[in-house]
Amino acid sequence: LLPESEGGSSVSYSVKVICNLKSAIAAGKYDEVNGDITPENFPEVGCKSGPAEVVLFSFGKKMLYSEVLAEFGKQGLRPATLAELLALGSRYPELQKQFWIVALGSVWRSPDNGVYRPTLDEIGGEHGLYLYWVDPVNGWGPGTQFAAVRK
């Protein structure tokens, strides 16, 4: 656990990763899935199916991508991928009702060169898998939970 005095907190969750994207999405029983989350846009290169530990970090303040990566590095972690995020969403669906969860380890560049990261969230009562644009100047809001795994 990351001490509160360092500006954040973390909680670990045991999950089972499924590397087949369609199967992993089906296991999560999402009400809504962004149409750009496809095997073509998110190939799971190097994905390992099986048990894993996903750590959720909350910093309680606005964070830039570089700041999150630096903190993960200090903790011996790397950003979670889409497969690891889906494993978390499947096993613990109630989490995304409490807060927004982002996986910085997977990225999709849109045709207009926008950078998007997969997220789990609940919008209007819909349990969903979404893509959110990465704002390089303002970063991520204080309520964001960042998913990570041990290196």
Side-chain angles (χ1 to χ4, degrees):
L1 229 57
L2 180 67
E4 289 291 334
S5 62
E6 292 184 31
S9 62
S10 66
V11 180
S12 296
Y13 297 89
S14 295
V15 300
K16 184 177 179 184
V17 175
I18 300 171
C19 289
N20 179 287
L21 183 59
K22 289 183 181 183
S23 296
I25 290 171
K29 300 177 184 162
Y30 300 99
D31 298 318
E32 190 173 341
V33 176
N34 183 290
D36 290 313
I37 299 177
T38 65
E40 294 76 29
N41 291 340
F42 289 93
E44 290 294 341
V45 178
C47 182
K48 290 185 178 183
S49 292
E53 177 185 345
V54 175
V55 181
L56 288 185
F57 273 81
S58 174
F59 295 97
K61 62 182 181 178
K62 181 177 80 170
M63 294 291 288
L64 298 175
Y65 177 74
S66 59
E67 294 171 323
V68 175
L69 291 184
E71 189 58 46
F72 282 179
K74 289 179 195 173
Q75 301 291 325
L77 300 168
R78 65 167 174 76
T81 64
L82 175 57
E84 292 155 345
L85 180 71
L86 289 170
L88 180 72
S90 174
R91 176 101 189 261
Y92 303 97
E94 71 284 352
L95 289 176
Q96 71 190 76
K97 293 177 182 179
Q98 299 171 38
F99 36 73
W100 181 31
I101 306 167
V102 63
L104 297 176
S106 293
V107 64
W108 176 65
R109 287 197 181 271
S110 66
D112 64 355
N113 215 28
V115 176
Y116 294 83
R117 304 287 177 166
T119 62
L120 297 176
D121 200 357
E122 183 176 85
I123 299 174
E126 297 290 311
H127 173 76
L129 174 61
Y130 305 102
L131 289 175
Y132 279 94
W133 175 66
V134 178
D135 184 339
V137 175
N138 293 314
W140 303 92
T144 305
Q145 296 280 324
F146 298 93
V149 294
R150 301 259 171 241
K151 289 184 181 178

